[in-house]
Amino acid sequence: SRGLGDVYKRQDAANVCADGAEAFSSRRGIDARVDDIDYIDRDGEGYRIEGRLESGQGFNCGVRNNELTYIQFEDRVAFR
């Protein structure tokens, strides 16, 4: 079973990813909020997160040590 510390680490990783998705969308002139985080799982030393913006556009990202390592919107890598 997962400890409470892992739950908080997953939540922190999801927040880093959501903030990154919203910030990148804003820089592109799109006022898009994250609608949902659909998936969070360990990926090596970090986390892989998948979610959806209110517009329906899907994204996924990687977070390690509470830092965004990449974010991808649908089939396009936006930040690495």
Side-chain angles (χ1 to χ4, degrees), residues 24-38:
F24 187 79
S25 294
S26 178
R27 286 195 301 270
R28 292 171 52 205
I30 302 166
D31 183 20
R33 295 297 219 189
V34 171
D35 183 46
D36 198 18
I37 297 292
D38 302 316

Side-chain angles (χ1 to χ4, degrees), residues 3-73:
L4 193 55
D6 187 58
V7 171
Y8 288 129
K9 287 178 185 176
R10 286 170 176 266
Q11 184 65 45
D12 289 345
N15 288 338
V16 168
C17 180
D19 290 348
E22 290 177 357
F24 187 79
S25 294
S26 178
R27 286 195 301 270
R28 292 171 52 205
I30 302 166
D31 183 20
R33 295 297 219 189
V34 171
D35 183 46
D36 198 18
I37 297 292
D38 302 316
Y39 175 85
I40 305 172
D41 202 5
R42 292 290 294 175
D43 184 18
E45 296 179 12
Y47 293 91
R48 175 173 156 69
I49 296 108
E50 295 178 5
R52 230 176 317 108
L53 298 174
E54 288 176 340
S55 65
Q57 184 178 30
F59 65 89
N60 67 73
C61 61
V63 174
R64 182 180 297 166
N65 298 324
N66 260 359
E67 292 186 14
L68 190 65
T69 56
Y70 76 89
I71 186 163
Q72 182 176 17
F73 289 88

